[in-house]
Amino acid sequence: MGCSSSPPAACVAAAILLAASLLACHHGCAAAAAVPTLSTASRWVVDESGSRVKLACVNWPSHLEPMLAEGLGKRPVGAIAGDVAAMGFNCVRFTWPTFLVTNASYSGLTVAQSFLRLNLTESLAGIRVNNPGFVDLKLIDAFKAVVSSLGEHDVMVILDNHLSKPGWCCSNTDGNGFFGDALFDPDVWVDGLTKMATMFAGVPNVVGMSLRNELRGPRQNANDWYKYMQRGAEAVHAANPRVLVILSGLQFDNDLAFLNSRPVSLSFTGKVAFEVHWYSFSNTQEWSSGNANQACARITAGIARRAFYLLDRGWPVILSEFGVDNRGGNTNDNRYYGCAAAAAADLDLDWALWALQGSYYLREGVLGLDEVYGVLDWAWCKPRNDTALRRVQALQRPLRGPGLAEAAPYAVLFHPVSGMCVVVRRRSPTPTLAQPFELGLGPCSETGAWEYSAQQQRLGLRDTAALLCLRAEGAGRPATLGVTCGDAMARWSLVSDSKLHVAVNATSSSSAGVSDSDGNGLLCLDVGADGRSVVTNPCRCLSADNSCDPQSQWFKLVSSTRSVVTKQTMLAQLPLKLKSWKIRSF
């Protein structure tokens, strides 16, 4: 039964992998701390002191037919909660069905009764081994116990009302979609929200409540959204004024555009946020048949119009579901992820990844179904895909916001598909006067302070005696830092629709090794064959071509105000003669 019955060596290996994940987070992820009381300040979520708290969450379902947090037949609850924290997630979006607290035929069940009525005898046996104290608990008490275990690991919890009747979500015709549907009585829903808000009013790590997941279906309309969502928000706040109240939109939580002309009207302030979902399958045709750059530009602009515009209106917007098939073979997901990660980093979003679970007790009639979007593997023993986990961890660290003005704003050169950033290191083994540094991909917490002038087309390091500018040296050659910053090989533009290609026009340079037929004479930043070095190559996939993959050449200039962590200042590493040189702008 998962790790509990695995050979000791397998458990040790799993522990080592999770420890490695924790070490990977050591400098970049949000550190565990006492759980704060959250509120909002303009578009930011903040703590009691007014400092930014970035929600870097993972979804953990408890809304399916068994009505128990997934995975308790595989691992002890404390081990799973510890893994959540070790992987750098500071928050869980914990799902629940309304009927758990409003319908006696469900709310009166123990864990054992719930599993036996579904003939889930093998899963129940696993729970007896891994979590014996849960077997005879009422379902709601088991839910509380999971929240408590997360709290013991300083993990915040957002209670997400996922649907009414327990089961898999979602379809337009499942009866759970919108107010007035067969299984979605607004009065019962408000009663359920009130009961949950009251029940967890004294639980400090419950920091938010999401009112309803993915409103949808033929009945959905804006007028009823305002009528009932505002009523639900008021009910939650009255019962538990500590928590954030999180409102979802229409069309499977893809659309908050209606708020553009009519804001919400509530009796309280400083506790309201919105949420949106973004998956590749919302735009299957565009990702599968369109040019990746053009698709990314169109889709990102669309979600900005429908949801992210609220950030500029002073509202937090949480990307509360996003994710990919972690096996790595889904082309649409692979194209989508780099685009979504670039947007999430650029906006420094709060988010919740779908999902934690490696498998389900029962989903859509299938026992033990593998969740390929899961962070953990089927047995809940180890990360399903270490590379996928590391690139998500790059988004856990806040880049700016209240209380984070540690430096004047600068740019980070973020590489979305790897989750790494361009960093500058002293050239090894021996620096030269001409090239004392080398550029490569590394942890974003180790970035230098880049500065980009679109007018001058100059991209360089700010915190040096004189600005060292980024230079292209030719096709297939490493990008360098230099003091000659005015020629074509040091003039950088964002050249594709996605604005993720950072390029120079090399047609006038005889040494560039690129012709006008190669990427229109453009050289783009790229990742070398070793997966770490930063080189320039002819730009790929700028337009039209629907089959090529541009993502190794996707870099996003992201604004940060975090302190620049270096062992020595860049100036201290410069050779003495170079320190006295001036930038040459010709």
Side-chain angles (χ1 to χ4, degrees):
M1 296 167 193
C3 296
S4 63
S5 60
S6 298
C11 289
V12 170
I16 290 171
L17 281 167
L18 286 164
S21 296
L22 178 58
L23 287 172
C25 281
H26 181 66
H27 295 294
C29 304
V35 174
T37 297
L38 303 183
S39 57
T40 64
S42 185
R43 61 147 292 186
W44 307 106
V45 175
V46 297
D47 64 14
E48 301 94 324
S49 71
S51 296
R52 168 98 190 268
V53 175
K54 181 169 182 173
L55 298 173
C57 313
V58 65
N59 282 272
W60 189 356
S62 187
H63 66 271
L64 281 82
E65 286 94 334
M67 290 177 288
L68 181 70
E70 301 292 339
L72 299 191
K74 305 289 188 185
R75 302 279 306 287
V77 64
I80 297 172
D83 291 350
V84 170
M87 290 185 290
F89 300 104
N90 64 5
C91 163
V92 161
R93 182 175 180 250
F94 196 30
T95 68
W96 61 281
T98 303
F99 290 177
L100 174 65
V101 291
T102 63
N103 187 312
S105 63
Y106 294 100
S107 61
L109 295 174
T110 65
V111 169
Q113 289 168 337
S114 179
F115 277 69
L116 289 173
R117 73 188 171 89
L118 296 167
N119 200 30
L120 298 176
T121 54
E122 185 175 346
S123 290
L124 181 58
I127 295 167
R128 291 187 189 279
V129 171
N130 288 289
N131 292 283
F134 276 72
V135 173
D136 295 320
L137 290 179
K138 296 285 189 182
L139 289 169
I140 189 60
D141 292 325
F143 189 93
K144 292 178 185 177
V146 175
V147 171
S148 177
S149 185
L150 289 166
E152 290 170 3
H153 291 85
D154 293 322
V155 176
M156 297 177 285
V157 174
I158 293 171
L159 304 178
D160 170 64
N161 179 236
H162 215 68
L163 73 181
S164 300
K165 182 180 179 181
W168 181 246
C169 179
C170 302
S171 82
N172 278 312
T173 58
D174 60 11
N176 285 282
F178 199 71
F179 307 106
D181 281 359
L183 299 170
F184 198 169
D185 182 319
D187 294 331
V188 174
W189 171 70
V190 171
D191 180 46
L193 290 175
T194 302
K195 286 178 176 176
M196 289 293 276
T198 302
M199 192 181 305
F200 288 96
V203 180
N205 68 310
V206 174
V207 297
M209 287 188 63
S210 174
L211 299 187
R212 187 69 172 199
N213 179 68
E214 296 195 352
L215 294 166
R216 60 197 179 276
R219 301 177 67 95
Q220 64 183 323
N221 66 88
N223 286 336
D224 281 344
W225 185 96
Y226 285 101
K227 177 180 179 180
Y228 293 117
M229 290 296 271
Q230 290 178 167
R231 180 181 165 194
E234 295 285 1
V236 167
H237 185 71
N240 188 347
R242 284 187 65 256
V243 296
L244 294 179
V245 180
I246 303 168
L247 286 70
S248 61
L250 301 173
Q251 301 293 346
F252 292 86
D253 205 6
N254 279 278
D255 187 5
L256 291 158
F258 52 91
L259 290 163
N260 188 31
S261 57
R262 181 183 169 189
V264 290
S265 177
L266 297 168
S267 66
F268 60 95
T269 59
K271 288 288 186 178
V272 177
F274 295 94
E275 62 178 317
V276 66
H277 294 176
W278 185 7
Y279 290 104
S280 71
F281 50 73
S282 299
N283 308 94
T284 298
Q285 186 63 29
E286 288 185 83
W287 288 120
S288 61
S289 63
N291 171 268
N293 276 297
Q294 294 169 328
C296 179
R298 286 193 301 268
I299 292 166
T300 302
I303 196 170
R305 287 192 303 271
R306 296 191 307 273
F308 294 149
Y309 76 94
L310 288 167
L311 296 168
D312 295 329
R313 303 288 180 88
W315 297 100
V317 179
I318 302 168
L319 182 59
S320 60
E321 284 190 27
F322 75 110
V324 297
D325 182 338
N326 283 314
R327 294 172 298 182
N330 186 311
T331 300
N332 284 0
D333 275 0
N334 294 342
R335 290 181 169 190
Y336 143 88
Y337 182 81
C339 182
D346 183 40
L347 297 171
D348 202 7
L349 293 174
D350 300 286
W351 49 264
L353 180 71
W354 187 273
L356 176 66
Q357 68 276 11
S359 55
Y360 298 88
Y361 308 117
L362 175 69
R363 174 178 152 182
E364 298 175 289
V366 180
L367 298 176
L369 182 70
D370 190 28
E371 174 53 273
V372 297
Y373 279 56
V375 172
L376 297 176
D377 69 349
W378 182 89
W380 293 65
C381 271
K382 63 182 187 297
R384 179 179 295 268
N385 183 323
D386 293 310
T387 300
L389 175 59
R390 282 194 297 270
R391 68 184 186 180
V392 168
Q393 287 171 334
L395 300 174
Q396 291 172 340
R397 181 175 185 255
L399 297 175
R400 57 190 185 273
L404 296 178
E406 300 164 354
Y410 61 90
V412 174
L413 266 171
F414 178 57
H415 188 245
V417 74
S418 68
M420 293 190 282
C421 290
V422 177
V423 299
V424 183
R425 297 188 177 96
R426 191 173 178 85
R427 183 174 291 277
S428 177
T430 305
T432 65
L433 181 62
Q435 294 297 332
F437 307 118
E438 60 185 3
L439 302 174
L441 294 182
C444 292
S445 57
E446 297 178 7
T447 183
W450 295 91
E451 193 169 64
Y452 178 62
S453 168
Q455 182 177 5
Q456 295 178 315
Q457 297 181 301
R458 180 181 293 164
L459 178 58
L461 283 172
R462 184 183 68 193
D463 297 329
T464 54
L467 180 69
L468 291 174
C469 57
L470 184 66
R471 294 188 53 81
E473 300 296 341
R477 298 176 64 184
T480 63
L481 290 171
V483 293
T484 302
C485 301
D487 65 326
M489 301 297 274
R491 289 198 292 267
W492 298 90
S493 300
L494 308 180
V495 295
S496 60
D497 287 3
S498 67
K499 304 302 182 187
L500 296 174
H501 278 88
V502 184
V504 298
N505 189 334
T507 53
S508 62
S509 174
S510 59
S511 62
V514 60
S515 68
D516 193 56
S517 61
D518 296 326
N520 295 318
L522 299 173
L523 286 176
C524 278
L525 287 183
D526 203 344
V527 180
D530 59 2
R532 289 282 178 172
S533 58
V534 176
V535 302
T536 54
N537 280 314
C539 297
R540 298 193 308 273
C541 320
L542 296 184
S543 61
D545 191 335
N546 300 343
S547 60
C548 70
D549 181 5
Q551 290 197 72
S552 72
Q553 294 188 341
W554 277 2
F555 290 83
K556 185 68 179 179
L557 287 162
V558 176
S559 178
S560 176
T561 60
R562 301 303 302 273
S563 58
V564 180
V565 181
T566 54
K567 293 182 180 178
Q568 306 176 58
T569 66
M570 194 62 65
L571 179 60
Q573 297 181 51
L574 286 169
L576 288 174
K577 185 174 181 180
L578 189 57
K579 291 179 189 177
S580 64
W581 287 3
K582 304 284 187 185
I583 284 186
R584 295 166 59 190
S585 59
F586 54 87

